[in-house]
Amino acid sequence: MNARKANMLLASNDRPSLRAWQARCIDQALQTLSDEHPHYLCQATPGAGKMLMAAVLAQELLQGDAIDYVIYLGPTTSVVERARDTLEKITGLAMHGRLGAGGAAFTYHALHHRLSELKHLCQQGRVMLVWDESHHAAGHSGGTSAANQWGVGLLALERQVRFTLALSGTPWRSDGGRLPLLRYLDTDEESALPEGGSDGTAIRQQLMPDFIYSLEEAIRDQVCRYPRVLLVDNRDIQLTAYHTQQQQRATQHYASIPHLLRHPAINYSGLLRHDEPLDHVLTLGCQRLAQLRQLDPDAAGLVVASDIAHAEDLTERLEDLGQSVCLITSKSYDAHNRLRAFRDSSAPWIVSVGMVSEGVDIPRLRVCCYLSHVRTEQHFRQVLGRIIRREGINDVDCYLYALNEPYLIRYARRIADDLPDDLASVTVSVTNPISSAAAAYDISRDTFPQEQTSTDTHAMAHEEPAGETIAENTTSSTTQISMGSSGDKTGSVDPDLAFSQAFIERLVALQLPSA
């Protein structure tokens, strides 16, 4: 396949100007895609502009008579609508999927219902499948790891399409599963199957992206803002527990949130419901956004909540601070139109649960208060990606505020990693593989967004964050707050939790190696 040089792509007059990384990726993809290598993975940091790259690549392949149609798959309706607009703008072709169109765009959820017609389309012409936020799909990898519904649909289309283009800033699954269609190479490491598994051994396989554009590169290229992650802690936490069986009250003092979370009656989800830490995090976010809006009146902030009730509470707290707030959840009337309206407005705050966590392009977002109970590295990075997309030469920094929870400490320290070593590989069975790609799957893991439940994962061992203390209030007054008995695993402890006003913010900075 003939490929244009990257500088020719950059200099083209009939399409938007491309960033250097986008041109390099397109050039490499044009040289790589073939009948022998039909699948291509672009791993680019959230906010780098993957969709524009994909649209220009599709246009190159259409003009080069390498494909006839483009099918796009994305995780949510709002993401799909933006992708459809970009594809139509770049290719000049309708993407509504009807007669005369150059392709179609669907959510992954719709793939299950449209699989037959998409197979028929693939039989009528040469199709490139673009599957965005590819980590949502789980592929069959043997052992106890089964394909989910989205992975099953992709595997069903694999032999029907000519090329596939996978896009993700975080190409791994939190459950350790393997992504479909992509290349994994065996490593030298071997291990026994987990207890209860089939007889045999397991091997480690490493994901092999075809193109990588890291956050470090994006910051150096002035494509992304410099993320400043500030973790809020408290130096004087008082836990008073009333033991109903002994009818005694005992008080313990904790010097940090990680230390407090060791207590069996305390969990992170519960902390996200307390007045003092919530109000402090939101106040910090409001103060920072007010500073940014002095120079950029359109700058905005995002609050990520744990569930709908939590989002409604956080909205009220922001309004009590004198802020104008747009609340968008899966239950919001006309949610996607409201999201578009917020994108094009100058409103300061948006509160959501999962609808703005990934793939949503609102470049004016520069501040985030991360108050979600979800503590996976993938979710943390995806949310951070909502605020790092840069708009101009003076648009340098973005700010994420969260509680000083051990998992979040760890993730904040690793945000410069392209693909962390412990997430870059999967374990697969080499004996007794599952016979059917349509084996049982839990589709609830991939229903997006999940906004109704709030579960808590086990906290890590105590780990104090290294970094610079950039703000501190040393007032020592306390207020008693009842936690209730829901956090007690035995039913014998009714704890009251009090935070002093001695909150601190620890800055966890991205460390860039010298050029």
Side-chain angles (χ1 to χ4, degrees):
M1 181 184 302
N2 294 327
R4 298 184 180 182
K5 297 297 183 181
N7 60 350
M8 293 179 64
L9 288 166
L10 283 167
S12 177
N13 294 322
D14 58 352
R15 60 177 57 92
S17 60
L18 292 172
R19 292 165 175 159
W21 84 263
Q22 294 168 323
R24 293 196 306 271
C25 183
I26 294 169
D27 184 60
Q28 179 178 313
L30 290 171
Q31 296 182 53
T32 301
L33 286 170
S34 65
D35 293 337
E36 292 74 30
H37 192 127
H39 307 305
Y40 192 89
L41 168 60
C42 170
Q43 178 195 325
T45 185
K50 293 184 287 294
M51 193 58 230
L52 176 60
M53 181 280 300
V56 175
L57 174 59
Q59 173 68 347
E60 291 288 319
L61 293 170
L62 286 165
Q63 288 187 340
D65 195 32
I67 60 173
D68 303 306
Y69 304 105
V70 180
I71 296 175
Y72 171 89
L73 296 175
T76 65
T77 300
S78 59
V79 172
V80 169
E81 288 176 351
R82 293 285 289 181
R84 182 186 293 116
D85 291 344
T86 301
L87 284 167
E88 290 180 344
K89 179 180 178 181
I90 298 302
T91 65
L93 300 172
M95 292 289 161
H96 49 60
R98 297 187 292 274
L99 185 64
F106 306 107
T107 63
Y108 283 105
H109 184 70
L111 175 61
H112 175 70
H113 305 287
R114 295 181 175 270
L115 196 54
S116 295
E117 66 180 88
L118 291 179
K119 285 183 177 180
H120 179 72
L121 175 65
C122 293
Q123 292 166 0
Q124 300 301 310
R126 300 162 298 174
V127 172
M128 180 173 78
L129 174 66
V130 180
W131 51 302
D132 203 354
E133 306 296 351
S134 52
H135 47 270
H136 285 292
H140 159 65
S141 56
T144 59
S145 179
N148 61 13
Q149 186 180 39
W150 298 353
V152 169
L154 287 167
L155 291 169
L157 284 177
E158 177 182 10
R159 296 184 180 181
Q160 311 293 328
V161 301
R162 182 170 190 194
F163 301 133
T164 71
L165 171 64
L167 306 174
S168 181
T170 54
W172 70 82
R173 289 185 57 82
S174 297
D175 61 8
R178 175 172 170 164
L179 305 183
L181 309 186
L182 304 181
R183 287 189 303 143
Y184 289 80
L185 295 184
D186 293 348
T187 66
D188 294 332
E189 180 181 352
E190 290 191 7
S191 60
L193 286 173
E195 184 178 354
S198 303
D199 294 336
T201 61
I203 59 174
R204 299 290 288 176
Q205 291 189 331
Q206 184 99 5
L207 177 64
M208 301 299 295
D210 296 281
F211 187 90
I212 298 176
Y213 186 61
S214 69
L215 178 58
E216 292 183 7
E217 292 175 286
I219 293 172
R220 290 197 192 99
D221 295 344
Q222 299 184 352
V223 170
C224 288
R225 300 171 180 132
Y226 194 105
R228 300 189 179 275
V229 181
L230 299 103
L231 302 178
V232 174
D233 209 333
N234 193 274
R235 286 181 167 174
D236 185 9
I237 306 170
Q238 179 176 298
L239 178 67
T240 302
Y242 179 71
H243 296 265
T244 56
Q245 294 178 352
Q246 294 86 1
Q247 294 187 344
Q248 293 180 345
R249 186 177 295 273
T251 299
Q252 294 176 282
H253 292 268
Y254 299 89
S256 70
I257 289 175
H259 191 200
L260 173 69
L261 288 173
R262 294 178 180 178
H263 194 286
I266 304 299
N267 60 52
Y268 178 68
S269 293
L271 291 183
L272 295 174
R273 311 286 170 165
H274 280 286
D275 292 340
E276 278 86 347
L278 285 188
D279 289 343
H280 190 75
V281 170
L282 293 176
T283 298
L284 289 173
C286 290
Q287 291 172 347
R288 179 65 66 183
L289 184 59
Q291 294 174 358
L292 295 173
R293 284 173 71 92
Q294 289 179 2
L295 298 176
D296 179 8
D298 292 333
L302 165 67
V303 178
V304 182
S306 293
D307 52 48
I308 292 176
H310 193 220
E312 292 170 345
D313 175 59
L314 295 173
T315 298
E316 292 180 2
R317 292 174 186 271
L318 282 172
E319 290 174 342
D320 289 343
L321 292 171
Q323 301 296 308
S324 174
V325 186
C326 175
L327 171 63
I328 298 180
T329 70
S330 59
K331 287 188 175 181
S332 299
Y333 172 74
D334 207 16
H336 296 293
N337 286 332
R338 294 181 63 191
L339 185 60
R340 283 195 295 269
F342 178 84
R343 181 190 298 118
D344 299 331
S345 73
S346 60
W349 284 99
I350 183 170
V351 177
S352 187
V353 181
M355 296 189 70
V356 195
S357 64
E358 65 176 332
V360 176
D361 177 18
I362 309 177
R364 66 190 191 89
L365 289 175
R366 294 187 61 183
V367 176
C368 177
C369 296
Y370 188 86
L371 298 171
S372 171
H373 70 281
V374 179
R375 286 169 296 158
T376 66
E377 185 159 7
Q378 187 176 83
H379 190 258
F380 182 79
R381 290 188 184 217
Q382 286 288 342
V383 170
L384 180 64
R386 297 318 98 212
I387 62 173
I388 63 175
R389 188 187 298 270
R390 193 165 176 174
E391 292 189 285
I393 59 174
N394 296 320
D395 182 15
V396 178
D397 298 320
C398 61
Y399 301 84
L400 185 144
Y401 295 90
L403 296 185
N404 189 36
E405 192 275 337
Y407 280 114
L408 302 185
I409 298 168
R410 178 184 176 192
Y411 303 157
R413 288 174 172 170
R414 303 201 324 171
I415 57 177
D417 293 351
D418 292 334
L419 189 56
D421 291 339
D422 53 337
L423 298 174
S425 57
V426 297
T427 302
V428 298
S429 170
V430 295
T431 60
N432 298 328
I434 295 177
S435 60
S436 173
Y441 57 84
D442 181 3
I443 188 60
S444 66
R445 299 181 67 93
D446 297 278
T447 301
F448 188 94
Q450 298 178 1
E451 300 191 351
Q452 301 304 320
T453 59
S454 176
T455 58
D456 192 70
T457 56
H458 189 272
M460 291 171 51
H462 171 62
E463 178 186 12
E464 288 289 355
E468 172 191 0
T469 300
I470 64 169
E472 181 176 340
N473 185 337
T474 58
T475 307
S476 59
S477 63
T478 63
T479 303
Q480 289 290 330
I481 309 167
S482 175
M483 284 198 67
S485 60
S486 61
D488 176 29
K489 295 180 175 59
T490 65
S492 63
V493 180
D494 184 13
D496 287 335
L497 188 63
F499 294 86
S500 77
Q501 293 183 12
F503 284 99
I504 59 172
E505 292 80 52
R506 298 186 183 275
L507 175 64
V508 182
L510 174 64
Q511 300 297 320
L512 295 178
S514 57

